[in-house]
Amino acid sequence: PVNVENTFTYDFFQYTIVSHVFTFGYAAMAAGLVYFVLTSKNSLPRYQLSSTLSAVVMLSAFLELLVISQKWDSAFSWDGEAFSPTGTLFSNGYRYMNWTIDVPVLLLQMLIVLGVTGAAFRRGWIVFTVAGLGMIYTGYAGQFYEVERSAPFWIWGSISTVFFLVILALVYRTVYGNVGRLPAEVRPLVKAVWWLLLVSWMLYPGAYLMPAIWDSADGVVARQITYTVADVTSKVVYGILLAVIARKVSKHEGHDEAVASDVTMPRGGITDVAAPGRAA
């Protein structure tokens, strides 16, 4: 078997929890897709590409999680006592193929929303893409050896971690190197992007190492929860945070749609939608 998921049988609760986690994952991506499509005009044109790219991420992640959910269903069947392997292999490799699309796009969104332009944008995009794909494909190679956990599992995982650390360093420099150019009201949100990405992306190495940390059916459940929580946080929540930043910067610059979409709660407790030209 390629992945450790295929080496265990699962009781009703273990199997069902994983199935429900997958459903939560692709439902969250579908909801995110609707959000980004409906709110894409709430910021200046130069930021709208970020919402479009978020929609691309949502669609690709939705399809990946739907496929992986179907693979889970077909890989195991109830034998009267437990869910046992059917001979159809479940694979986490679909996640890596999805990350091939999503990781460069997510990092590109950051450059767009932070207003990085010119040579700095091109240089940042190239380095982000190369490091991102290096991280993904070396991790992909390593996960083929997770059952026996032989040397390639650790070697490829270590190389992937080097790329991972490079990306984190670049994200930190990008965020804190550009936050000062943005309005004061959005600076805490921009810094939150760094912390959100740091925390959510740290879950992925944990999921990769789960077969070595917790080699059991319960470990598989924990692994799939970890992967899915990381995906939802680093894609849906991250994209929404960037969209909010873009809207607030656009409002600061007087973009009518951003002003009109700003919802505040007045003292009376009745929701009020600020109209164009009216202070929020």
Side-chain angles (χ1 to χ4, degrees), residues 86-277:
T86 62
T88 300
L89 292 181
F90 174 86
S91 175
N92 287 304
Y94 295 101
R95 293 187 182 275
Y96 290 86
M97 296 303 101
N98 172 244
W99 296 333
T100 299
I101 299 171
D102 291 352
V103 168
V105 171
L106 291 168
L107 297 173
L108 174 60
Q109 288 178 258
M110 180 186 300
L111 295 173
I112 293 171
V113 173
L114 294 182
V116 181
T117 59
F121 177 89
R122 292 189 294 273
R123 183 170 58 252
W125 166 237
I126 291 171
V127 176
F128 271 147
T129 301
V130 171
L133 294 180
M135 174 185 69
I136 293 163
Y137 290 138
T138 51
Y140 176 69
Q143 56 98 36
F144 283 102
Y145 301 91
E146 68 183 28
V147 173
E148 63 273 22
R149 290 183 290 283
S150 55
F153 173 76
W154 300 102
I155 293 171
W156 287 118
S158 298
I159 297 173
S160 181
T161 301
V162 172
F163 285 115
F164 173 69
L165 294 175
V166 169
I167 292 175
L168 290 182
L170 290 172
V171 169
Y172 180 87
R173 188 174 68 180
T174 300
V175 168
Y176 283 89
N178 292 279
V179 66
R181 299 190 296 103
L182 298 174
E185 65 177 301
V186 303
R187 291 174 189 173
L189 292 176
V190 173
K191 293 175 182 178
V193 169
W194 155 251
W195 289 107
L196 176 69
L197 191 148
L198 175 65
V199 173
S200 61
W201 279 34
M202 286 298 293
L203 296 175
Y204 290 110
Y208 178 90
L209 292 171
M210 194 66 73
I213 299 170
W214 196 355
D215 189 16
S216 68
D218 285 334
V220 169
V221 176
R223 184 189 206 190
Q224 295 305 326
I225 291 173
T226 302
Y227 269 140
T228 304
V229 169
D231 276 349
V232 171
T233 307
S234 66
K235 296 174 185 179
V236 183
V237 180
Y238 171 85
I240 291 173
L241 186 55
L242 289 180
V244 170
I245 292 170
R247 180 178 63 80
K248 286 184 176 293
V249 174
S250 298
K251 178 187 172 186
H252 182 79
E253 297 182 17
H255 182 58
D256 288 345
E257 285 77 4
V259 175
S261 68
D262 191 45
V263 179
T264 61
M265 184 67 69
R267 293 180 182 178
I270 300 175
T271 301
D272 174 47
V273 179

